[in-house]
Structure formats: C-alpha cells, structure tokens
C-alpha cells in the first residue's frame, strides 16, 4: 500500500519523507489556503522533495480551462498529477490530459458509478472521500469495497486512492479492502504508531534498565 500525505505543509511532509513514509502528496484548494502559500511556489517545493506523484488541483469548472490549468500545472515538475473534480467537465479534462500522457487524480468521488466513469476516462487515481461519507451517516468503506470489486471485475488500472481519511481505522480498513493508496493528514499517519501496550511495555523495560543499571554506551 502506498502512503500519500494530504497536506501542503512542507515541514510535515519532510519529516515523514525522511522516514521513507511518503510515496506521494495530495493537495487541494483548502490545503493550499491553509498553508498560506502560492500554489505554484509551494507545489514546486513539494515536487522537489518527493519522488512520487504530487496532486495539484485545478480551479476552473469548465473542461477547456481545466485542461489549460492542468497543462500549466504539469510544467511545474514531472511528478505532478493533475487533480480534477468528478463532474462531466472534469471527466472531459481527465480524458484529454491522460491522453496527453499526464497523471490525473479525479477527486470528490462519492459513488462507485462515478469511479467507473473516471476509470473509463483514463484516470490514474480515483479519490473516494471516506470521511465525508461517514459525516452523513453512510459508510465510506462500503464505497472503497465497491470500487475495488468493480475495478477488479474488469481489470481497470485506475488506482484507488482512499481520501478524506480521518482516523487510523480508516487506514487499516482501506488496507484490508485493498485500496492501492491512502492519503492522510500527517497527524493520522503518525498516530498509527501508538499502542498502550507498547507504552506499558517500554515503561516496564525502562524501570528494569534503571534497577539493573544496564548500560550499552
Ligand atoms: O484528500 C481529500 C481530503 O483533503 C479531504 O479531507 O477531511 O476535508 O474531508 P476532509
């Protein structure tokens, strides 16, 4: 399973990247706004740091302008994935940009039928939003499972990029189902290390180290 980091915060990406935890990065207009940075400038910095795909989202809603924006975004670096919304115009832009040989991430996916259309339009990644489905009392994991089944039934190569991840259990469930990629905020990825029995066990070891005066260096 690939780990993408869902942020435009350079320091947070760098920390995880140094540990080999970053297979790619996803950004969106809200994350760019939060960073307070210029989209081109911050995206260029991220692309220079990370080897894998870096998703940068278009701002237009019509296909023609989305395609023009996508062509500008891919000039930033060779690892840009153009992010387009799952609308009819977004699918048109996806088809043109993927036919041009660019990676395309189709975002704001909330149904398996939408995911099927994105695959047929040549999407490199489909981004189903788990957390936002959970927010309205639906089960985001049912969507991941449905897309996995449909893509496997027909051999679609579009990668399932589980997005809007809010908890470590979202990551675990995505891995169990077989999502190709998860994208999560840095804090959620880091929280995966936590376990109370690890803390308890370490406390016991530390007290024995102290009691026995064990030294290595
Ligand atoms: O990857 C999409 C993600 O940024 C959306 O997350 O928590 O705003 O639903 P959220």
């Amino acid at each position: 399973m690939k780990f993408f980091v869902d942020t435009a915060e350079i320091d947070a990406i760098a920390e995880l990247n140094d540990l080999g935890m970053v297979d790619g990065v996803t950004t969106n207009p809200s994350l760019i706004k939060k960073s307070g940075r210029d989209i081109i400038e911050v995206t260029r910095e991220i692309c220079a740091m990370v080897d894998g795909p870096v998703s940068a989202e278009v701002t237009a809603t019509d296909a023609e302008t989305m395609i023009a924006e996508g062509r500008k975004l891919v000039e930033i670096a060779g690892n840009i994935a153009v992010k387009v919304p799952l609308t009819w115009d977004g699918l048109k832009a996806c088809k043109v940009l993927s036919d041009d040989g660019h990676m395309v991430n189709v975002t704001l996916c909330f149904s398996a039928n939408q995911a099927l259309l994105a695959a047929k339009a040549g999407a490199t990644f489909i981004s189903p939003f788990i957390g936002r489905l959970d927010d309205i009392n639906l089960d985001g994991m049912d969507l991941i499972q449905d897309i996995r089944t449909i893509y496997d039934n027909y051999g679609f190569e579009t990668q399932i990029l589980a997005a809007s991840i809010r908890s470590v259990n979202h990551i675990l469930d995505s891995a169990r189902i077989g999502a190709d990629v998860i994208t999560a905020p840095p804090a959620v990825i880091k929280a995966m290390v936590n376990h109370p029995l690890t803390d308890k066990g370490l406390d016991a070891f530390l007290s024995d180290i102290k009691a026995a005066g064990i030294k290595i260096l």
Side-chain angles (χ1 to χ4, degrees), residues 44-149:
R44 186 173 288 120
E45 266 182 56
I46 296 169
C47 287
M49 184 191 308
V50 171
D51 292 332
V54 175
S55 290
E57 189 158 340
V58 298
T59 65
T61 54
D62 66 287
E64 197 184 335
T65 317
M66 280 190 229
I67 292 163
E69 288 182 340
R71 288 183 173 146
K72 178 167 179 183
L73 289 170
V74 296
E75 283 174 7
I76 295 173
N79 54 338
I80 286 285
V82 181
K83 210 171 180 187
V84 299
L86 216 161
T87 59
W88 201 247
D89 277 70
L91 293 174
K92 285 184 192 170
C94 173
K95 176 78 174 112
V96 170
L97 292 166
S98 62
D99 281 353
D100 281 355
H102 304 303
M103 291 186 285
V104 181
N105 177 357
V106 180
T107 189
L108 291 168
C109 172
F110 293 97
S111 81
N113 274 340
Q114 289 180 319
L116 184 50
L117 290 174
K120 291 190 77 68
T124 316
F125 302 104
I126 183 69
S127 289
F129 274 34
I130 299 171
R132 292 192 195 182
L133 283 169
D134 290 356
D135 287 346
I136 58 162
N137 294 324
L138 294 172
D139 187 343
M141 284 306 152
D142 288 348
L143 176 58
I144 301 290
Q145 181 64 73
D146 280 352
I147 300 172
R148 180 75 282 155
T149 302

Side-chain angles (χ1 to χ4, degrees), residues 22-44:
V22 178
D23 300 303
V25 172
T26 50
T27 65
N28 62 36
S30 306
L31 295 170
I32 296 292
K33 175 172 174 261
K34 196 172 164 200
S35 77
R37 305 274 312 274
D38 171 72
I39 180 172
I40 303 290
E41 193 184 282
V42 73
T43 305
R44 186 173 288 120

Side-chain angles (χ1 to χ4, degrees), residues 132-195:
R132 292 192 195 182
L133 283 169
D134 290 356
D135 287 346
I136 58 162
N137 294 324
L138 294 172
D139 187 343
M141 284 306 152
D142 288 348
L143 176 58
I144 301 290
Q145 181 64 73
D146 280 352
I147 300 172
R148 180 75 282 155
T149 302
I150 291 167
Y151 281 7
D152 288 350
N153 281 349
Y154 299 100
F156 285 116
E157 288 179 4
T158 300
Q159 295 180 52
I160 302 173
L161 198 175
S164 183
I165 287 206
R166 309 269 178 78
S167 71
V168 294
N169 285 338
H170 280 157
I171 297 178
L172 183 60
D173 290 341
S174 296
R176 282 188 176 127
I177 292 168
D180 301 286
V181 192
I182 56 93
T183 189
V188 176
I189 292 175
K190 289 175 78 174
M192 292 168 74
V193 79
N194 297 335
H195 199 290

